[in-house]
Each structure stands twice: as C-alpha cells, then as structure tokens.
Amino acid sequence: MTLLAIENLCVELDGPDGTLRLLDDVNLFLSKGRCLGLVGESGCGKSMTALAIMGLLPRGMRASGRILLEGEDLLSIGEDRLCGLRGRKMAMVFQEPMTALNPVVPIGRQVAEGLRLHLGLTRHEAELRAGKMLARVGLPVERFPLGLFPHQLSGGQRQRVVIAMALTCGPDLLVADEPTTALDVTVQAQILDLIAELVEEFDMGLVLITHDLGVVAESTDTMSVMYAGKVVEDGPTDEVFQRMAHPYTRGLFAAMPSHSSDLDATRKRLTTIPGRVPDASSRPSGCPFVARCSFATDQCSDAPPPLERLAHRHSASCFNLSRVEGL
Amino acid sequence: MTLFLVKRLIMLAATLLVAAVVVFFVLEILPGDPALVMLGVSAQADTLAALRAEMGLDLPAWQRFTNWIGGVVTGELGRSYTYDVPVSELIGERVVVSLPLAVMALTLSTVIAIPLGVIAASRHNRTTDIALTGAAQIGIAISNFWFAILLILLFSVTLRWVPAGGFAGWDAGFWPAIQSLLLPAIALALPQAAILTRVTRSSVLEVLQEDFVRTARAKGLSRRAALWRHAVRNALIPVITILGLQFSFLLAGTIIIENVFYLPGLGRLLFQAIAQRDLIVVKDLVVLLAGTVVVVNFVVDLGYAVLDPRLRSGGGHV
C-alpha cells in the first residue's frame, strides 16, 4: 500500500537575482512498512525534501507539485491540518541531537508534549507514556529520570530522546534526516539498529536521508540518488547497487572506501568526483552533472536528460546510459 | 552553588568599597566647604573653625574616610548638615517614593516590552514588525525628561487627569499616591521599554532560528505555540541581562524625573544635597544607589539559574 508519493515536487526561492529552483521535479514513492534511502552530497536537496514533506520549509520557499501521505495532498491542506498531522501521522528525526532539543525543558516534558497535544492526555498520563517510550528507546526512567535536561545526556542519548519524541504518537511515516551523522561511529550503529527495530515494530514507512552508502545498503528497500535538486537515479536498493546506471551514482560508489581484504585494493587512493555541486543559482541548463561527468557529450549541455526506465521500477536520467554501463 | 554565592558576595562587597572610595575622594577634590555653606560667607574665622572641628572636617582625609565607612557598616549614616536629622531618617522618608517609582517603571517597561518584542519577532519584516521597530527607535531617541514634560502637558495641563507634580503621600491613600507616581513611572519606563523591545525582538529572532524550535514544530505545535512555549523562555536569558543593566539607568533616570515632577524621592534628595554641599548625604546616597545596582545584578545572576538549567549545579553527564 502506498504510504507516501511525491509527484513533481519543486521548491523555489525568490532571491535578489531571480527565482532559484532548489528542488526540481522530484518524484519519490514509499510503501507502508518499507524504507526509502535518499542519497547524495551535501546541498543536493535531501534535507529540503524532508522539510517539504513535513511542511516545514523556511519562510520564503514555495513548494509545488504533490506530496501525498496516504492519499492526502500535504501541499494543498491548511496549516491547521498540517499541525494535526505532524507528530501524529508523520514525524521527523533530525541530524543534530545536540541542538534539536530545547535546552531549558526537561526531556520527559519534551516527549510528553506531543501526547498531550495530539491525544489530549493529561500531564500525568502523558508523562507515564513518555517514560515508557523513553524506556523503549533505551533510556529507562530508573537511570534517566524524566526531569533530566538535555545537557545532562550524551549525543547518542539525546538522539534517543529525539527518536522517542518522534515515535510517541505512533506515526505512520518517519523521516530521518542523517540521524547518525553527528554521532560517534560506535553509537551510529546502535541508533540505526534502534530505528530499524522501531520501524518494524510500529510498522512505519521510513525515509532515511544519508550520504553513507553502507547505511543505505544495510537498511533500505529502495533508494533515490539526488544531485543538484533532482533525482538522477532510483530503484530497488540492490538493483541500483548492482547496475549503478548513472555516472554520478558510479562516482559515489567509487568514492566509498572499500573494506576488502585485498591489500592492493585498500592501498589504492580513493576516487573523488572532481568539482563541486553547482550552486542553485548557477545550475547549467542541461544535465546538472555535466561539468563533473567524464561521459558528457554536447547533448548533455543542451537539455536535461529525462528519467529513463531501465527495468521495472529502476530508472536513471542520463543520455549515455549505454556507454556508462558498457564499461 | 554555595561557592557561587560566596564569590558573588565578596564581589558585591568589593564593588561597594570601590564605589565608596571613588565618591569620597571625588567629593574631596571638589571645591565647597560644608561648614562655610552652613554659616554663610560672612562667618567669623573662629566660628568656622569650631564648626569644622565639631563636624570632624579638620581630621585628615583617611581618618574621615574610615570614620564614615565604619558608620555606614554599622548602620550609623551620620547627620545631614542642612536638614539636621540623621541621614537614615531622610533616606527612609524618601525611599517610599523612589522605590515604588522604580518598581512601577521597571514593571511597566517589562510588561510592555517583552510581548511587543516577541510579537515584532514573530512578524519579522512585516508591517507590525516595522511599525514596532520604528516606534522603538523613536522611543530610544527621546530623552525621558522631555518626554516627561510632554506627558505633563497632555495629561495634567490639557486633560487634567493626574497632578502635574508633587507627591500626595501614602497617608493620602493608596490610589492618590499611585496617581501621582503614574506619569513619572511612564516617563521613566517608555524609553527603557523601547530598548527592551528591540533586545527582546532580536533575541527571539535568534532563538527562532534554533533547531529545537523546528523540532517543536515537527511535533505538531503551531507556529504560535512553538514561539511562546519553546522560543520565548530561551530568548529571555539575554533579555534578563539587559533588564539588570537597565536598572542602573532607571535609578539615574529617577534623579532627573523626580526633579521634573517635584517628587520628594531619593533622586531629588541627592540633587539638593549636591547643590547644598550636604556631602554626607551625597556620599551615603551614592553608596546606597551603588549597592542597589550591585544587588540587582546579583538577583539577575540568580535569575539565569532559574531560566537556564545548564547554569544550575549538579549537572553533568549521566
């Protein structure tokens, strides 16, 4: 069953030098109980997509297209209805646990707040349930009283609080925006495992934003590779990993350190993708990747390549797919 | 916490001592002989000498300083030359005017400024914000004594709602007394409120950019609820600092405002005492005012701990 369908999502920002298109015709699809990985470099529009789903884009940004959550278009409903959905039907886990919590409010109250708001529980009932939820994410009340303040917790513990906060009302959709980027490597795995467990337990859909391909391989069913505000390749995770149809996807994989036991392979320098992501104000009229692509032809600079279907549910936008795959 | 308190108390005493030294020696340098003022310029030399000896003015400076400080510490503030009553009595009479005036002005400016600042921030760069910021800018530019005169012209002379000056006294009843303090309090409060509004606005604007406000919104809180429940309390921390600093300006303001409105308060007493070379009153008052400022700043420091749990002791990682 379709949980989330994003159709032709564009996000625009009016700047001093005209309108900037930050997201360009993004299409995403997520079934209930599944996990969609959103991959790409910083500035490619991953977090922007997450904020668009939550209806929390910064002021001045305009979203167009459709974002359907269980058939309801989030872009056409009012703010009141959105407030009713946020935290109740859809929830978000943020990148920076150090700043995502209010420093002057005890953690118990921060977790209980959503329960009181959406389920109309009394303070006592809400705190009781908040305590259970905190225990579920690994912060039992005996060791972590509800009266603790965020500064008394470590980064990983705070991220657990953020997760508890997101899940306390049992949402159907969880958007996790680089939930482990700010954490120690050892803690990262714990938090990812916790999210995976909870997603299954609560039968949620998960949009997992990350730039870590290892994480994508391990925890997602489908994935979309984003570049400069566009989806350049998407499909079932294992298929994308196998074919790597788009040159940018190849570049990402090549830039990933390998864990192979082959000494020659590990001694090789890591490949990098030359250049940088073009700024939203200076994107080329053709393929956004053209300046950094070793397969680029004249055609690539003229018009953006359409998303081409490679297999059932797997597609990529590149004029030179056959040459890339021929390698 | 105890260590913090002890440290602050030592700081408090040190600040007061420095204030006392400064005021004593500044008055020492200033021309003007209190004995001469009391007796008039035609006084006989021997009468003058006798009075100076009686007042202790013939003693060396350091001895007069220690005598004075010793008195202040034991609560013996000395005797006013001009009023010929104990200074403590004078202060007692006047403080019942100045203290309510300062408290009214501070309350008024806080009650006006904080909501306005929050509203301006929540309507950032829109008409309400621009209007409020503009009004605040004008408020900052206006001097309070001029503003006080405008208030008198409007509310006392034209509308005849409140008296133009003087103090009915608390014996006349609560309401008449408050009425005579109302205009002075407004005159003192509005320029302060203007500054405070701007500080609150920029502080709230800054906090609204914080991640936790977005987290609150992601929970389902409306913009307004996230603003008042999550942003404002965090934004008040710098506002409290300014509030503490403003208190000293408020005290300085009372000196001027009490003169404009002929209020028998500490400010007016200080002003008259300087004019009449009633030096012991000047010295005592300055130390009292300095003490008030230091104590208020101390209270502000305690206020931080109430607002911000990170500053309370007993924290640390679990």
Side-chain angles (χ1 to χ4, degrees):
Chain A
M1 206 188 109
T2 308
L3 174 66
L4 176 75
I6 298 181
E7 297 170 359
N8 312 102
L9 174 67
C10 295
V11 170
E12 290 179 324
L13 174 67
D14 289 324
D17 322 309
T19 303
L20 297 181
R21 185 163 270 207
L22 304 172
L23 286 185
D24 192 0
D25 202 20
V26 170
N27 290 278
L28 296 171
F29 180 86
L30 175 65
S31 303
K32 222 175 164 148
R34 290 305 170 103
C35 173
L36 164 69
L38 219 50
V39 199
E41 277 166 274
S42 313
C44 72
K46 296 170 299 189
S47 300
M48 195 65 68
T49 310
L51 290 177
I53 296 171
M54 296 299 290
L56 292 175
L57 286 171
R59 228 175 244 188
M61 290 189 189
R62 275 173 290 115
S64 61
R66 297 210 295 171
I67 300 175
L68 300 167
L69 181 67
E70 289 185 320
E72 188 173 12
D73 183 6
L74 302 181
L75 291 182
S76 64
I77 57 176
E79 176 62 26
D80 284 351
R81 173 77 184 132
L82 266 178
C83 282
L85 292 176
R86 283 189 208 112
R88 179 83 184 88
K89 286 262 173 201
M90 54 181 181
M92 187 159 173
V93 173
F94 297 93
Q95 183 172 349
E96 267 295 339
M98 306 310 270
T99 54
L101 293 169
N102 189 334
V104 304
V105 179
I107 56 169
R109 247 176 65 203
Q110 296 198 52
V111 176
E113 195 171 18
L115 289 164
R116 300 189 64 191
L117 185 74
H118 292 296
L119 307 183
L121 300 186
T122 63
R123 167 168 290 208
H124 180 72
E125 290 166 340
E127 293 205 338
L128 218 64
R129 272 185 67 168
K132 278 188 197 153
M133 195 66 224
L134 282 168
R136 176 64 194 87
V137 299
L139 304 174
V141 181
E142 301 79 55
R143 279 184 56 215
F144 301 92
L146 297 180
L148 284 182
F149 287 96
H151 72 277
Q152 294 166 307
L153 300 174
S154 70
Q157 290 163 349
R158 287 189 215 189
Q159 195 62 302
R160 288 172 191 271
V161 176
V162 174
I163 293 169
M165 222 157 72
L167 299 188
T168 139
C169 293
D172 299 319
L173 172 68
L174 179 66
V175 180
D177 184 3
E178 308 214 21
T180 58
T181 306
L183 302 175
D184 290 343
V185 184
T186 45
V187 183
Q188 282 186 2
Q190 295 170 16
I191 294 290
L192 281 172
D193 287 347
L194 176 67
I195 292 179
E197 266 172 46
L198 291 167
V199 164
E200 197 169 313
E201 188 178 319
F202 288 74
D203 194 28
M204 292 180 290
L206 171 69
V207 175
L208 181 63
I209 295 172
T210 176
H211 53 245
D212 187 336
L213 288 167
V215 171
V216 175
E218 208 169 298
S219 24
T220 67
D221 303 301
T222 56
M223 65 185 283
S224 295
V225 181
M226 289 188 76
Y227 185 78
K230 283 185 175 181
V231 174
V232 294
E233 178 166 1
D234 66 0
T237 304
D238 43 3
E239 250 177 80
V240 176
F241 267 67
Q242 220 164 58
R243 278 181 82 164
M244 297 184 273
H246 196 280
Y248 178 63
T249 316
R250 297 228 156 180
L252 278 184
F253 276 94
M256 191 171 62
S258 75
H259 296 291
S260 92
S261 53
D262 179 2
L263 270 178
D264 282 340
T266 46
R267 273 190 193 149
K268 263 199 296 190
R269 279 186 76 97
L270 275 177
T271 321
T272 54
I273 307 177
R276 292 190 298 133
V277 184
D279 201 54
S281 58
S282 56
R283 279 181 193 158
S285 56
C287 173
F289 193 54
V290 63
R292 307 171 73 186
C293 182
S294 52
F295 298 93
T297 59
D298 289 346
Q299 190 190 11
C300 301
S301 315
D302 294 340
L307 209 58
E308 225 170 287
R309 177 166 289 192
L310 299 165
H312 178 66
R313 289 167 56 210
H314 183 191
S315 40
S317 69
C318 179
F319 288 121
N320 304 305
L321 288 172
S322 52
R323 272 176 59 215
V324 178
E325 288 200 82
L327 278 178
Chain B
M1 196 67 186
T2 331
L3 186 71
F4 168 78
L5 279 176
V6 170
K7 268 194 204 161
R8 295 303 311 208
L9 283 174
I10 293 172
M11 280 289 289
L12 196 146
T15 315
L16 283 182
L17 187 65
V18 171
V21 170
V22 169
V23 66
F24 184 86
F25 285 100
V26 164
L27 291 179
E28 206 55 29
I29 294 163
L30 282 183
D33 181 349
L36 195 63
V37 171
M38 283 173 81
L39 293 174
V41 274
S42 56
Q44 301 277 322
D46 52 342
T47 332
L48 198 62
L51 184 62
R52 289 176 61 91
E54 191 196 320
M55 291 167 75
L57 292 175
D58 55 343
L59 295 171
W62 66 268
Q63 213 170 335
R64 277 180 288 129
F65 180 72
T66 44
N67 283 349
W68 171 55
I69 285 297
V72 170
V73 171
T74 53
E76 183 51 59
L77 296 180
R79 211 172 170 83
S80 160
Y81 309 147
T82 45
Y83 294 91
D84 199 27
V85 289
V87 179
S88 50
E89 201 173 292
L90 271 181
I91 290 176
E93 272 167 26
R94 307 295 184 108
V95 85
V96 297
V97 179
S98 292
L99 189 66
L101 177 62
V103 170
M104 265 171 87
L106 197 67
T107 315
L108 213 57
S109 73
T110 314
V111 166
I112 294 170
I114 290 177
L116 285 187
V118 175
I119 290 167
S122 71
R123 304 241 182 279
H124 184 43
N125 277 347
R126 287 191 268 174
T127 325
T128 321
D129 178 32
I130 294 164
L132 283 172
T133 324
Q137 193 58 54
I138 293 170
I140 293 170
I142 289 176
S143 355
N144 52 15
F145 63 88
W146 184 73
F147 185 59
I149 294 167
L150 287 191
L151 285 177
I152 293 174
L153 279 177
L154 178 62
F155 291 105
S156 307
V157 179
T158 312
L159 296 171
R160 299 182 174 279
W161 286 355
V162 282
F167 183 62
W170 293 103
D171 299 337
F174 180 75
W175 185 234
I178 288 290
Q179 245 185 341
S180 41
L181 289 179
L182 197 61
L183 278 196
I186 293 173
L188 270 175
L190 277 194
Q192 303 285 329
I195 298 170
L196 209 56
T197 303
R198 290 192 67 115
V199 173
T200 309
R201 174 182 173 271
S202 57
S203 174
V204 171
L205 277 180
E206 208 169 289
V207 174
L208 281 177
Q209 300 297 316
E210 300 269 0
D211 286 350
F212 64 80
V213 176
R214 197 179 54 190
T215 311
R217 298 269 290 136
K219 258 191 252 181
L221 265 69
S222 65
R223 207 179 283 277
R224 177 192 288 250
L227 172 75
W228 289 99
R229 285 192 221 161
H230 287 271
V232 169
R233 185 157 158 210
N234 281 278
L236 283 184
I237 295 164
V239 171
I240 291 282
T241 314
I242 302 295
L243 210 62
L245 288 176
Q246 274 192 324
F247 191 77
S248 30
F249 288 105
L250 207 71
L251 286 180
T254 55
I255 299 174
I256 298 162
I257 290 296
E258 283 175 0
N259 276 294
V260 174
F261 285 94
Y262 291 100
L263 290 177
L266 290 177
R268 194 162 162 75
L269 178 65
L270 180 63
F271 184 75
Q272 288 169 334
I274 292 170
Q276 292 162 345
R277 294 288 181 277
D278 200 344
L279 295 188
I280 184 77
V281 175
V282 176
K283 283 184 280 194
D284 286 344
L285 274 179
V286 170
V287 169
L288 177 73
L289 294 180
T292 316
V293 170
V294 175
V295 169
V296 165
N297 284 330
F298 177 63
V299 172
V300 164
D301 283 348
L302 294 180
Y304 289 146
V306 174
L307 279 175
D308 192 341
R310 287 167 292 189
L311 299 175
R312 285 174 224 158
S313 57
H317 287 257
V318 176

